């Protein structure tokens, strides 16, 4: 019985190790660092802000979105990454790349990035930095990207501006993942004092401006922290 138990544990371990599609969170190796000469930056953020209400039960949950092109989140995230990389990689040639048709949904998966690899190579990049809206197992009700969420609890009655993404590093020639890191940190509590409105279209221009500032702060912090952890 013990033998079967150990064999099962070994099989599960091997299975997990073989799941390269998921990738293991890690920084860029010294060997790969030396090869980085030309960098392409791509942001998967869209103009869509998530607006998520998390109730006491799943029946009380509500997911809505609001188009906020005036936030300029895509441009902002690209420029933050560009600025940080120019500081850490002053001798590298760094360019922003974009798809002809930008994604409409916040969460964009790996098989959607084929065109970005092609654009990166055409731009002469050997390395791609991909800011990717993603999901997080520890917060399964949170939508990838950015927005507002409100959870029913006794401590806060307001909405929380947030961002949820990962920063990936790819070798563009081999289309190989070199490293990735979460684009958020758990060390600072979110500021949850936005007056919550059931319909996201009901926020005033001033309220949206405040929400934008707080979301951009989260994104900026996440990009800077993730690039540091990736050793970029």
């Amino acid at each position: 019985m013990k033998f079967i138990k150990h064999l099962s544990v070994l099989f599960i371990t091997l299975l997990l190790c073989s799941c390269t599609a998921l990738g293991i969170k890690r920084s860029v190796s010294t060997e790969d660092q030396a090869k980085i000469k030309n960098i392409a930056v791509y942001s998967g953020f869209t103009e869509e802000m998530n607006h998520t209400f998390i109730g006491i039960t799943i029946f009380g949950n509500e997911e809505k979105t609001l188009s906020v092109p005036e936030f300029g989140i895509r441009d902002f995230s690209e420029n933050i990454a560009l600025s940080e990389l120019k500081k850490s990689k002053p001798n590298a040639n760094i360019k922003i790349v974009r798809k002809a048709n930008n994604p409409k949904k916040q969460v964009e998966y790996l098989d959607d990035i084929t065109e970005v690899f092609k654009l990166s190579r055409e731009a002469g990049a050997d390395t791609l930095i991909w800011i990717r809206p993603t999901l997080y197992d520890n917060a399964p009700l949170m939508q990838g990207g950015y927005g507002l969420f409100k959870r029913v609890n006794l401590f806060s009655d307001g909405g929380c501006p947030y961002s949820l993404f990962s920063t990936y590093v790819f070798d563009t020639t081999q289309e190989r993942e070199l490293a990735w890191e979460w684009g958020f940190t758990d060390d600072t509590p979110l500021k949850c004092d936005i007056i919550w409105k059931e319909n996201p279209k009901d926020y005033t221009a001033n309220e949206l401006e405040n929400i934008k500032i707080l979301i951009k702060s989260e994104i900026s912090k996440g990009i800077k922290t993730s690039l540091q952890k990736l050793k970029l």
Side-chain angles (χ1 to χ4, degrees):
M1 183 65 70
K2 286 185 178 180
F3 173 77
I4 295 174
K5 181 179 179 181
H6 291 320
L7 191 61
S8 299
V9 172
L10 177 61
F11 173 76
I12 293 170
T13 303
L14 290 172
L15 182 63
L16 289 173
C17 290
S18 67
C19 293
T20 54
L22 296 177
I24 299 173
K25 187 162 68 73
R26 62 195 180 278
S27 59
V28 180
S29 68
T30 303
E31 181 183 356
D32 288 325
Q33 286 271 8
K35 298 176 184 176
I36 298 176
K37 306 296 180 186
N38 300 285
I39 303 172
V41 175
Y42 172 72
S43 172
F45 283 125
T46 70
E47 297 175 351
E48 187 179 72
M49 181 183 82
N50 298 314
H51 192 263
T52 305
F53 180 84
I54 304 172
I56 297 174
T57 69
I58 59 172
F59 302 106
N61 297 346
E62 287 187 352
E63 294 177 10
K64 297 177 182 178
T65 59
L66 179 68
S67 179
V68 286
E70 68 275 17
F71 279 21
I73 296 297
R74 192 183 184 93
D75 289 345
F76 177 78
S77 61
E78 291 168 340
N79 288 326
I80 289 291
L82 192 68
S83 175
E84 292 301 302
L85 289 166
K86 282 183 176 179
K87 295 176 193 174
S88 60
K89 298 284 183 185
N91 297 321
N93 181 31
I94 309 168
K95 295 181 180 178
I96 293 171
V97 296
R98 286 191 175 184
K99 291 181 178 181
N101 297 310
N102 292 333
K104 294 181 180 180
K105 295 294 181 182
Q106 283 285 17
V107 178
E108 184 184 36
Y109 294 97
L110 282 168
D111 47 0
D112 293 322
I113 204 170
T114 305
E115 184 184 348
V116 182
F117 280 129
K118 182 174 179 290
L119 291 171
S120 300
R121 288 191 292 267
E122 289 174 353
D126 51 63
T127 305
L128 169 65
I129 307 296
W130 178 23
I131 301 166
R132 178 194 179 198
T134 189
L135 299 176
Y136 184 43
D137 287 346
N138 289 348
L141 298 178
M142 299 281 289
Q143 300 302 303
Y146 63 93
L148 278 180
F149 80 90
K150 173 179 166 61
R151 183 190 300 273
V152 175
N153 61 49
L154 300 175
F155 306 103
S156 174
D157 198 36
C160 312
Y162 78 96
S163 65
L164 183 54
F165 65 96
S166 302
T167 303
Y168 280 79
V169 186
F170 286 93
D171 177 313
T172 60
T173 304
Q174 301 177 19
E175 299 188 4
R176 177 173 62 95
E177 180 190 305
L178 301 179
W180 74 274
E181 180 57 67
W182 291 115
F184 62 89
T185 58
D186 295 323
D187 56 351
T188 306
L190 291 173
K191 188 176 181 180
C192 300
D193 58 0
I194 298 295
I195 296 174
W196 183 261
K197 299 187 177 180
E198 288 189 20
N199 188 339
K201 293 181 180 180
D202 290 340
Y203 291 106
T204 67
N206 286 339
E207 287 170 334
L208 285 174
E209 179 65 21
N210 187 35
I211 291 168
K212 178 186 75 174
I213 291 170
L214 293 171
I215 287 174
K216 283 187 171 181
S217 175
E218 289 298 315
I219 291 174
S220 176
K221 180 175 65 175
I223 291 175
K224 291 176 181 178
T225 301
S226 63
L227 288 175
Q228 289 170 3
K229 290 182 177 179
L230 287 165
K231 299 182 180 178
L232 288 176

